[in-house]
Amino acid sequence: GRDGEVLGSAIGLTRVIVAVLGAIMLVLCVPLARIFLHSKDAYPVCLALVPAIVLGGSASVREGYLHAKGKTFLNAIFTFLEQFIKVILGVLIIIFLSCGEEVFDATLPVWAISAGALVSSLFLFLSVRSGKKSKAFKKELILNAYPPTASRLATSLLHLGTTTILPIALVMFGLSKETALAQYGILTAMAYPVVYIPITVTGAMSVVLLPEVARMQDNKAVRKKVLKYAAGALLVSFTFCVLLLLFSPFIATEFYKMPAAAEYMLALLPSVLCLGPAQMFSSALTGMGRVKNVFYLSVADGAIGFVLTFFLASSFGIFGFIAANCLQDILALLLNSITFFYFAKKEEKI
């Protein structure tokens, strides 16, 4: 039917795009590692991302199809499964396979990302089968995909800029290049995977929320629904923060053998509290058809993070970067929630 043709056309387009991106990563892995990881010997990290790039494209199309068909619960399960595998497997392989060799250890969490994408893609492939391709649908898809694609691209580029500029800012603070990269590695490979575990739950919640908002006509009911989800996300995040306060020293010393990781985890608690509710408001805006506003908010959030990272990390070191992270997520929550309530009330008056 028509739905199958649309899905088949979207998957066909996506396969071309991810094949090109994967080929670029394979060919340019060494120069990319030199530019963004500051070491040409770190190219295995780039190579480990290729499966996630190739598999993630078609999987995201099938996820969108499940959204449109109203199968949000199934989609939420796949999202939770993927995030759970990324986080838990990432932590486990670091604990059991880490050998002290910098490049190998840095590659481990990236393989966890690819493993999560593989499992999710397999389940989605078995659950959603595509139909024949159609040139007419391909043109329509390209036009409709422009706003969300621009949003993702802008966000990714700004995040990439932030990641690139951080070691430079840490060196400006007074650290050696080796110390700067070591601190950044502890933060991203040890603290982040633990601290952002709640996203596995809140991400699935936002997946369920989006189509529910899209189907609702009464804005009062929309506000009530979104506030309920935001409160639930805050409860999940708060509960995890309490657990982190109690067990972060144990995790850092017993599993990672790196006490500094506990300090980073605790410093990131404000970010943990804000991310879940921010996801709900952003998802609600998308469900209301405010894709362009989500794009503007994403760009503003990324630009703020870039500026804060440069100034705070160069002035206060790695904890300045963590402060920039937290401030960025607090502002993201404020901007997304204010924008949501503004449009919910505006459309109600109309």
Side-chain angles (χ1 to χ4, degrees):
R2 186 180 188 278
D3 291 347
E5 288 185 26
V6 172
L7 178 61
S9 301
I11 290 176
L13 277 171
T14 304
R15 283 173 177 168
V16 174
I17 294 170
V18 297
V20 172
L21 292 175
I24 291 173
M25 184 71 83
L26 287 171
V27 174
L28 301 179
C29 60
V30 174
L32 287 173
R34 184 186 297 112
I35 295 171
F36 298 115
L37 301 178
H38 305 281
S39 173
K40 65 178 182 179
D41 296 328
Y43 70 90
V45 178
C46 297
L47 292 178
L49 276 173
V50 173
I53 293 171
V54 174
L55 295 169
S58 297
S60 63
V61 173
R62 287 186 166 88
E63 286 176 4
Y65 181 80
L66 288 175
H67 274 309
K69 301 298 286 185
K71 299 179 180 179
T72 54
F73 182 73
L74 186 62
N75 208 351
I77 291 175
F78 292 148
T79 301
F80 175 81
L81 182 65
E82 179 180 0
Q83 297 298 326
F84 181 81
I85 290 174
K86 285 180 182 179
V87 174
I88 300 303
L89 183 60
V91 172
L92 291 176
I93 63 176
I94 289 172
I95 292 172
F96 293 107
L97 298 181
S98 178
C99 63
E101 201 282 314
E102 290 183 356
V103 173
F104 179 78
D105 289 351
T107 307
L108 293 177
V110 181
W111 279 118
I113 294 173
S114 291
L118 173 61
V119 173
S120 177
S121 298
L122 179 61
F123 278 106
L124 284 165
F125 176 78
L126 294 175
S127 303
V128 182
R129 296 300 178 92
S130 60
K132 296 180 180 180
K133 302 173 185 178
S134 168
K135 291 183 178 180
F137 287 139
K138 284 184 179 180
K139 183 177 180 180
E140 183 180 347
L141 286 166
I142 292 172
L143 293 174
N144 291 332
Y146 168 71
T149 301
S151 176
R152 290 290 183 90
L153 180 60
T155 303
S156 298
L157 289 175
L158 286 166
H159 178 72
L160 185 61
T162 301
T163 304
T164 304
I165 203 172
L166 176 59
I168 299 172
L170 292 176
V171 171
M172 291 174 63
F173 173 66
L175 301 178
S176 66
K177 184 178 178 180
E178 292 73 19
T179 302
L181 291 175
Q183 289 186 353
Y184 182 64
I186 294 171
L187 178 66
T188 55
M190 297 182 184
Y192 277 177
V194 174
V195 163
Y196 293 133
I197 286 176
I199 293 178
T200 60
V201 178
T202 57
M205 291 172 63
S206 69
V207 167
V208 174
L209 177 62
L210 191 153
E212 289 191 18
V213 170
R215 288 193 294 267
M216 297 174 74
Q217 301 297 323
D218 182 5
N219 277 332
K220 287 185 178 180
V222 169
R223 291 203 301 271
K224 185 177 180 181
K225 174 72 70 174
V226 173
L227 284 174
K228 181 179 179 181
Y229 271 76
L234 182 61
L235 179 61
V236 169
S237 300
F238 179 78
T239 302
F240 184 78
C241 284
V242 173
L243 294 174
L244 207 56
L245 281 169
L246 296 174
F247 297 108
S248 58
F250 175 80
I251 294 171
T253 54
E254 296 300 321
F255 290 110
Y256 289 137
K257 312 299 181 184
M258 188 67 66
E263 299 178 18
Y264 297 169
M265 292 177 197
L266 295 177
L268 284 164
L269 290 184
S271 178
V272 177
L273 287 172
C274 294
L275 276 174
Q279 283 179 304
M280 301 307 124
F281 290 116
S282 178
S283 183
L285 284 168
T286 303
M288 293 167 66
R290 297 291 175 177
V291 180
K292 288 185 179 180
N293 297 99
V294 173
F295 165 66
Y296 298 142
L297 290 171
S298 298
V299 173
D301 179 52
I304 289 169
F306 181 85
V307 174
L308 287 175
T309 294
F310 179 75
F311 286 105
L312 293 181
S314 61
S315 300
F316 303 102
I318 194 68
F319 284 101
F321 172 63
I322 293 174
N325 246 11
C326 294
L327 288 172
Q328 180 182 357
D329 291 332
I330 291 170
L331 287 171
L333 173 58
L334 290 173
L335 289 172
N336 279 283
S337 59
I338 291 171
T339 305
F340 165 74
F341 286 114
Y342 171 77
F343 282 113
K345 291 181 179 179
K346 180 181 178 181
E347 292 176 2
E348 184 177 300
K349 291 178 181 178
I350 295 173

